[in-house]
Amino acid sequence: MVQVRLDFKTEKPELPRDLDKLIVSFLKASLQNFSTELYEQLYGERKAVLKTFTYSLYLPGAKFLADKIVLKGNNFSLYFSDSDIGQLIQFINAFKLMRFKKYSMNRNSMELQKVYAEKKEEITDSEIIVKIQSSLVVRKHEAQDNSDVYYIYNHPDFCKTLKKNVEIFLEKLEIPLSTEGFSIVPIKGKKIVTDIFGRKTDANIGIYKLTGSPQLLNLLYQSGMGSRRSEGHGKFEVIW
């Protein structure tokens, strides 16, 4: 099991508040530069495609201001994983082609310096303790009026809705895994309000107990869980 670490250097020690837009645009640019076919497959103008990857960010000493994020230094890191190993290899090759190229962002720029492939231990237990690395978004979509309801860790429907999110993910991608026995229990949950493409949205961070088959837990470890995974949400680290 592999996770990819990308180390960036910034021209100025700051980043825009709408990081999801920035990183998604970087992912798109990386694919366009590497494979038009893969770009069209994932981001083409046809119907939205459910993706198998997720990412989280490490922002050293970050201070979140109203209009920007101020960093302690001119660097930050991105951790990327994908449950589709073939696709992950293509992303790694795409990232390598972006090294040392300035990528503009709001009177500033960032430059990818290094690309690391880090080995991760496979999950062999059916119960693990995890720390959320990029906020967990648990969403219930109301088809009747096309609205969304977002749940936080202490809501009685939190676990049931996350399980439904996972079931939809498996069903749409035709992955033959069962969610029987899947559950999430907050150990030290915390609500945050995150920006999702400019919209304030309730989300979750903290430490949780996950239960499920090792096969399912490994899939979620690589693809993330919940909603908005490919926009930097739902990535977790196993701490026990």
Side-chain angles (χ1 to χ4, degrees):
M1 186 182 297
V2 174
Q3 171 179 267
V4 183
R5 173 180 162 182
L6 309 179
D7 287 347
F8 291 88
K9 179 178 73 175
T10 60
E11 184 180 345
K12 301 175 185 177
E14 60 186 51
L15 292 167
R17 280 301 302 254
D18 51 351
L19 277 176
D20 50 1
K21 291 182 181 178
L22 172 66
I23 300 303
V24 169
S25 71
F26 178 80
L27 295 178
K28 288 181 176 180
S30 299
L31 292 183
Q32 284 180 311
N33 184 54
F34 172 71
S35 168
T36 303
E37 181 181 353
L38 184 57
Y39 172 81
E40 288 297 327
Q41 178 185 326
L42 294 177
Y43 292 107
E45 294 182 359
R46 58 200 180 112
K47 189 176 180 180
V49 174
L50 194 63
K51 300 170 181 64
T52 56
F53 61 81
T54 190
Y55 67 84
S56 63
L57 295 168
Y58 173 58
L59 311 174
K63 293 182 179 179
F64 290 78
L65 306 182
D67 59 339
K68 61 185 176 182
I69 301 169
V70 179
L71 302 174
K72 186 176 181 180
N74 293 61
N75 57 82
F76 72 96
S77 298
L78 183 151
Y79 295 88
F80 181 96
S81 59
D82 193 330
S83 59
D84 182 333
I85 186 63
Q87 184 171 273
L88 178 63
I89 291 170
Q90 292 187 80
F91 264 108
I92 291 173
N93 291 330
F95 293 146
K96 287 181 177 179
L97 291 178
M98 294 295 282
R99 283 183 299 179
F100 312 119
K101 293 183 178 181
K102 283 193 175 183
Y103 193 79
S104 296
M105 52 172 184
N106 192 26
R107 299 185 300 278
N108 195 3
S109 67
M110 65 184 195
E111 187 177 290
L112 178 58
Q113 299 286 296
K114 295 180 180 179
V115 180
Y116 302 91
E118 301 177 338
K119 188 173 181 180
K120 307 292 287 185
E121 293 294 327
E122 287 203 14
I123 297 167
T124 57
D125 297 323
S126 58
E127 184 177 292
I128 56 175
I129 306 299
V130 305
K131 182 177 182 180
I132 303 299
Q133 299 292 95
S134 55
S135 57
L136 173 61
V137 178
V138 178
R139 178 183 65 170
K140 179 181 179 182
H141 182 68
E142 300 287 359
Q144 292 180 341
D145 57 2
N146 197 34
S147 64
D148 294 313
V149 179
Y150 295 90
Y151 293 105
I152 59 173
Y153 69 96
N154 57 2
H155 192 282
D157 288 337
F158 173 74
C159 178
K160 180 177 70 174
T161 305
L162 177 59
K163 185 176 182 179
K164 185 64 177 177
N165 290 167
V166 173
E167 288 171 348
I168 291 171
F169 172 65
L170 297 173
E171 180 183 337
K172 288 192 174 181
L173 291 178
E174 299 181 347
I175 299 173
L177 288 177
S178 170
T179 59
E180 183 177 356
F182 175 81
S183 69
I184 182 170
V185 177
I187 295 175
K188 193 176 180 180
K190 182 179 179 181
K191 171 192 171 181
I192 65 167
V193 178
T194 188
D195 291 316
I196 296 182
F197 280 78
R199 180 180 177 180
K200 301 293 184 185
T201 304
D202 288 346
N204 306 269
I205 57 173
I207 298 173
Y208 298 80
K209 180 175 75 174
L210 282 183
T211 303
S213 70
Q215 295 85 353
L216 177 62
L217 296 179
N218 275 304
L219 177 75
L220 299 179
Y221 196 18
Q222 296 168 288
S223 65
M225 60 182 177
S227 297
R228 304 285 187 175
R229 295 167 302 92
S230 64
E231 296 165 4
H233 298 282
K235 185 169 174 55
F236 60 84
E237 186 60 42
V238 179
I239 59 175
W240 185 78

